[in-house]
Amino acid sequence: MHSKSSTIRTRRTVTTFAALLTGALALSACSGSDDNGGKSSGEKTGGATGSTVTLPKLNGANLEIAAVWTGQEQKNFKQVLAEFEKRTGAKVTFVPAQDPIINFVGSKIAGGQPPDVAMLPQPGAIKQAVQRGWAKPLAAEAQKELQKNYSQGWQDIGKVDGKQYGVYYKAANKSLIWYNTKVFDNAGAKEPKTWPELLTTARAVYDSGVTPFSVGGADGWTLTDWFENVYLSQAGPEKYDQLAQHKIKWTDSSVKQALTTLAQIWGKKDYLAGGQDGALQTEFPSSVTQTFTGGDQPKAAMVYEGDFVQVNIGETKAKVGTDAKVFPFPAVGSAPPVVSGGDAAVILKDSKAAQALVTFLASPDAATIQAKLGGYLSPNKNVPVSAYPNAVQQKIAKALIASGDDFRFDMSDQAPQAFGGTPGKGEWKDLQDFLKNPADVAGTQAKLEKDAAAAYGSGS
């Protein structure tokens, strides 16, 4: 349920994210209420009807929508679909998919039964779906709704060859470190703003008798996210874009520097819950829950990952905002990183009903329903910040909207699936091997370059 996604942004990254999250600045109407009527849209959403979008009557229409979401996330999304059913008379069936969803979609299409809409978490996957003739462009109504509610950057990442195919319904803010407040209080540890300060904080936590970090190394994507935050902040956005497009090699000195920096944490066995071996056997959900169970003696004090961590914290007794707090990924270079991910709704079977569903998902109405349920973040700038259920989530939402077009998308999701999105292969596997042996920087670079060259060369 990692909500991964991405594309290339060539603008400069701004650092408002860190300032906002730590300073919790009260932005007026979340910086999206500009000349496209953001404010009135948000206000209408909270009104009696809660309707900002006109949808057709679709009695008798049946739709299928596929996504990899499970558990609470799936349950919450079904409430959004229920509202669409209520307004249109259509019936929508949620189809649980497996990762990588593009392979799942391919098998459904081969069997002659594609879902009408699929939630694709990678721009690379959207591109593949277009190239294979599976994806259908958005019609005028859906495009209009998208343009009204999304910054240009979020629109652009759903485009292929200038045509709009995707609506990013769900976003992830992937530059966050969550911590157990009891442990920090006992250790006298402070929220760090820079990488050296993070190492100082880790030392204070370690000296207090708690292991500093929980790492979900059994899931390779968590490791790519760690790398991307370090690399973006240290090497800068231009290099980040070049590496994302494989215009520079993984043997580049900037990659050596990022891996060497990561090894300052990954290379310290005592800093990782269970050591390197334990981290490699820990799946993402456990990496979170073990940080927030055990009172002031959990298995670890901190866990890095996106805003969606809140869903997993919800499975423990810890409360977000009191027992569990968050700080932005610290600045490794001159500025802290802002890395995003997301899931885009893409039409595979064109129909009036499918276009209407995607139009609804592009509206503040749909996103506001799920925002209120928690564990979700929308890139839709006309969702009122007040819809989010707690102060921590409201800060994360404000920060994402405030970054406008100035963010970078998850790098591994820009890569061909074979390199950046397949368990046990490519970047996921190479970084797992690096976590096992963080002294082997050069060997890791060579493997990454070999796998990248093969994947980018074949375009798969």
Side-chain angles (χ1 to χ4, degrees):
M1 61 130 267
H2 49 268
S3 248
K4 297 190 65 141
S5 73
S6 96
T7 199
I8 295 148
R9 304 294 309 136
T10 50
R11 305 169 97 101
R12 290 193 311 277
T13 300
V14 290
T15 58
T16 47
F17 173 72
L20 274 165
L21 197 58
T22 47
L25 299 178
L27 290 187
S28 56
C30 71
S31 95
S33 48
D34 46 30
D35 51 4
N36 73 356
K39 201 169 184 180
S40 62
S41 231
E43 284 167 1
K44 273 191 281 180
T45 306
T49 60
S51 182
T52 68
V53 60
T54 309
L55 299 169
K57 281 283 163 234
L58 299 166
N59 294 347
N62 285 292
L63 286 169
E64 285 188 346
I65 184 164
V68 296
W69 301 327
T70 56
Q72 196 58 47
E73 201 170 20
Q74 183 188 121
K75 214 164 127 186
N76 292 354
F77 183 58
K78 282 180 174 173
Q79 291 199 35
V80 177
L81 300 178
E83 178 64 18
F84 177 77
E85 290 180 328
K86 198 172 101 183
R87 292 194 194 181
T88 61
K91 182 164 175 15
V92 188
T93 305
F94 181 92
V95 178
Q98 288 79 45
D99 251 332
I101 189 171
I102 194 76
N103 297 359
F104 172 85
V105 165
S107 64
K108 286 282 192 188
I109 285 170
Q113 292 182 308
D116 298 86
V117 178
M119 304 304 279
L120 300 183
Q122 288 105 355
I126 298 175
K127 199 173 171 187
Q128 259 179 298
V130 172
Q131 285 168 345
R132 292 174 184 177
W134 300 346
K136 308 293 182 268
L138 298 190
E141 276 306 306
Q143 286 196 57
K144 196 173 123 195
E145 197 59 32
L146 187 66
Q147 285 158 7
K148 195 168 75 177
N149 299 313
Y150 287 74
S151 75
Q152 193 60 48
W154 282 100
Q155 291 176 48
D156 289 349
I157 57 174
K159 284 180 181 168
V160 178
D161 299 330
K163 258 191 192 167
Q164 195 77 50
Y165 287 92
V167 166
Y168 273 86
Y169 169 73
K170 184 177 192 289
N173 185 323
K174 306 191 89 175
S175 298
L176 304 170
I177 295 178
W178 300 81
Y179 67 95
N180 184 313
T181 49
K182 279 184 188 152
V183 175
F184 265 48
D185 291 346
N186 291 347
K190 294 186 173 66
E191 292 188 1
K193 290 186 172 64
T194 65
W195 186 262
E197 285 176 15
L198 178 65
L199 298 178
T200 304
T201 296
R203 180 82 215 181
V205 166
Y206 176 73
D207 288 345
S208 79
V210 178
T211 304
F213 296 96
S214 176
V215 175
D219 293 313
W221 59 266
T222 62
L223 306 182
T224 69
D225 290 353
W226 264 100
F227 172 82
E228 286 154 11
N229 276 278
V230 169
Y231 190 84
L232 174 58
S233 184
Q234 193 172 57
E238 283 74 25
K239 279 261 190 197
Y240 185 95
D241 291 343
Q242 288 169 357
L243 189 61
Q245 299 168 69
H246 202 222
K247 285 184 175 167
I248 54 172
K249 293 186 172 183
W250 284 81
T251 46
D252 191 82
S253 60
S254 61
V255 176
K256 178 184 177 180
Q257 194 186 7
L259 291 173
T260 305
T261 301
L262 266 181
Q264 293 175 337
I265 289 174
W266 291 8
K268 282 194 169 69
K269 191 180 174 186
D270 295 345
Y271 273 23
L272 305 178
Q276 284 89 352
D277 291 345
L280 284 163
Q281 287 162 34
T282 305
E283 292 181 335
F284 164 67
S286 308
S287 75
V288 179
T289 52
Q290 71 182 15
T291 309
F292 298 102
T293 45
D296 62 359
Q297 290 294 310
K299 286 198 176 154
M302 291 175 269
V303 61
Y304 155 72
E305 252 316 333
D307 59 282
F308 44 84
V309 162
Q310 291 171 97
V311 172
N312 307 91
I313 295 173
E315 291 162 15
T316 71
K317 287 181 182 149
K319 293 275 174 287
V320 170
T322 50
D323 311 308
K325 287 187 180 173
V326 68
F327 56 85
F329 199 97
V332 189
S334 59
V338 184
V339 178
S340 290
D343 295 86
V346 175
I347 294 171
L348 303 176
K349 268 170 73 178
D350 204 0
S351 66
K352 186 180 173 184
Q355 292 283 355
L357 178 57
V358 173
T359 302
F360 180 62
L361 293 177
S363 76
D365 300 14
T368 299
I369 294 167
Q370 198 155 346
K372 286 177 177 170
L373 298 169
Y376 164 83
L377 187 62
S378 172
N380 186 319
K381 61 186 177 180
N382 291 326
V383 173
V385 170
S386 59
Y388 293 93
N390 59 58
V392 168
Q393 213 162 344
Q394 287 170 7
K395 279 194 272 182
I396 293 168
K398 274 181 187 174
L400 183 81
I401 297 301
S403 71
D405 296 341
D406 297 311
F407 55 85
R408 284 299 184 279
F409 258 70
D410 182 300
M411 190 193 291
S412 62
D413 286 345
Q414 299 182 41
Q417 189 91 34
F419 180 66
T422 305
K425 284 188 184 167
E427 191 186 356
W428 292 20
K429 173 74 165 70
D430 296 340
L431 288 179
Q432 285 173 323
D433 291 346
F434 178 63
L435 176 58
K436 196 180 291 179
N437 182 15
D440 189 18
V441 172
T444 301
Q445 284 186 270
K447 276 200 291 187
L448 284 162
E449 177 52 33
K450 182 172 175 269
D451 290 341
Y456 282 83
S458 67
S460 68

